[in-house]
Amino acid sequence: MIVLAKAPVPGRVKTRLTPPYTPEAAARIAEASLADTLDAVLATPARRRVLVLDGEPGAWLPPGIEVLAQCAGGLDERIAAAFAACTGPALLIGMDTPQVSPALLAPALGEPNRPDEAWFGPAEDGGFWALGLTEPDPALLLGVPMSVPETGRVQRQRLCDAGLRVRELARLRDVDTSRDAELVAAEAPHGRFARSLTASWSTAPEPPAPQSAASRTSVAEIPTAQPAAPRSSATGPAPSASSTAGPGAW
């Protein structure tokens, strides 16, 4: 079995999860997704388990997984090279379907495959999450447009055009957006992925509180102070001249 993955480094993985998640939280979610995927692979009867990795392995890598470096190039070239690195029949999956289980993979691994047979796992977004080839051939992959809505259709047609009998695995949702993450976590609520998603939400900063009605009062609504009434200059009857003149004023 082959797992094609990217090392969970902040800013390099699951960038479509930010926002609402921070790059660090997105990397933790990606690491949990990869860990769940590798757990499922380890539980299968595959004779060889290979992680074809873009980046460096970390403490998240369990024993029993062989690591090969991804080649440079487009995704079609990297998938083709991953198959080329493994002799004999191989089933390839990615790291974006943490809900995958040994039972979902079993049909492609449980019986000897004919030379003219291929396994195809369609994804909800129009791509594919799994591809199994009895006799890997780069020509089956090179030139297929990747990460677009028609990826799955074109890839499946390429297999059919090569005369292969295409058998399908279950349709799965892969994790690209935060909404995908929520739906996938609900499908597999007891895995590392779901726990990481919950923890990331619980540690996210609180959104700013809505502005109160009082603080939204406009200038036009602030009462204008009324001008004070003019004070009178006299406080009583005007004094007579005699009362104000001192001795010798005349």
Side-chain angles (χ1 to χ4, degrees):
M1 273 209 67
I2 306 168
V3 177
L4 191 77
K6 184 179 288 188
V9 176
R12 295 196 67 242
V13 291
K14 292 293 163 220
T15 54
R16 290 176 64 186
L17 293 183
T18 57
Y21 300 98
T22 65
E24 291 74 20
R28 290 192 296 270
I29 292 168
E31 180 177 325
S33 180
L34 180 54
D36 282 348
T37 301
L38 294 177
D39 281 350
V41 169
L42 285 168
T44 68
R47 294 189 301 272
R48 185 184 179 195
R49 302 169 182 89
V50 180
L51 173 63
V52 181
L53 184 66
D54 177 5
E56 296 297 324
W60 44 264
L61 181 69
I65 301 290
E66 179 184 349
V67 179
L68 299 178
Q70 274 189 42
C71 73
L75 183 54
D76 59 325
E77 296 170 298
R78 287 180 279 139
I79 294 175
F83 274 112
C86 302
T87 58
L91 176 65
L92 179 143
I93 63 175
M95 62 181 287
D96 294 340
T97 49
Q99 74 274 42
V100 72
S101 66
L104 288 170
L105 298 170
L109 298 171
E111 58 186 67
N113 293 312
R114 294 163 38 181
D116 63 344
E117 192 168 71
W119 284 91
F120 184 79
E124 290 284 356
D125 62 0
F128 61 92
W129 66 271
L131 182 62
L133 299 174
T134 304
E135 296 182 352
D137 179 359
L140 295 173
L141 292 144
L142 295 176
V144 172
M146 296 289 170
S147 303
V148 293
E150 62 270 20
T151 294
R153 177 181 58 79
V154 174
Q155 181 62 77
R156 195 182 193 287
Q157 189 60 50
R158 181 75 67 89
L159 301 175
C160 293
D161 290 346
L164 298 179
R165 174 173 173 253
V166 180
R167 302 178 67 181
E168 287 203 355
L169 295 169
R171 181 180 297 271
L172 295 184
R173 178 183 297 274
D174 52 11
V175 177
D176 290 321
T177 66
S178 59
R179 179 58 177 162
D180 293 330
E182 294 168 9
L183 293 172
V184 169
E187 291 181 34
H190 305 299
R192 289 185 179 93
F193 178 80
R195 293 196 298 271
S196 178
L197 199 71
T198 300
S200 296
W201 270 121
S202 64
T203 57
E206 291 291 331
Q211 199 175 21
S212 66
S215 64
R216 291 197 302 268
T217 303
S218 66
V219 173
E221 296 171 327
I222 299 175
T224 304
Q226 297 298 319
R231 296 181 60 187
S232 172
S233 59
T235 58
S240 63
S242 59
S243 64
T244 59
W250 289 92

